[in-house]
Amino acid sequence: MPIPLIAAAALPVIAATALRFLVGTLIVRALTALAVSLVTFTATDAISTAILNHIISSSSGLPAGVLEAAQMIGFTTCVSIIASAYVGAIAIRQAMGLYNRIAFGRS
């Protein structure tokens, strides 16, 4: 009966090798998705900042009363929050899309 004994001795080695391969692959996939989302976030943040600056500079021609009213109701803060929400949504969608393509082979 040496065959079951050999199989029992080899099972932990096989399991450890398989686990090491799976964990390493998952870590690489997660880090890749994180890196792509970071690059996407940085690019969309720069674009949204440029758009916000353009909106603010374009509003300088408005009368002083309109600018004060817009500042009182928090127009610039509102535009900034909306732009940040779009940036976050784009980064999350990009990360999830990349993760699905890498993990599940979708194109």
Side-chain angles (χ1 to χ4, degrees):
M1 295 287 190
I3 293 177
L5 184 61
I6 293 172
L11 187 61
V13 175
I14 293 170
T17 304
L19 184 64
R20 191 173 8 167
F21 174 73
L22 290 175
V23 169
T25 303
L26 290 176
I27 289 173
V28 168
R29 288 179 180 175
L31 288 177
T32 303
L34 181 64
V36 169
S37 67
L38 181 64
V39 168
T40 303
F41 175 79
T42 304
T44 53
D45 187 42
I47 292 169
S48 70
T49 302
I51 291 171
L52 183 62
N53 289 338
H54 179 69
I55 290 172
I56 291 171
S57 67
S58 296
S59 66
S60 64
L62 294 174
V66 174
L67 287 176
E68 288 176 10
Q71 191 173 10
M72 264 196 301
I73 63 172
F75 177 74
T76 55
T77 305
C78 176
V79 170
S80 177
I81 290 171
I82 291 171
S84 297
Y86 275 115
V87 167
I90 290 170
I92 290 171
R93 286 183 184 162
Q94 183 67 27
M96 291 306 296
L98 180 71
Y99 177 76
N100 286 337
R101 284 192 298 267
I102 290 174
F104 303 112
R106 297 180 186 159
S107 56

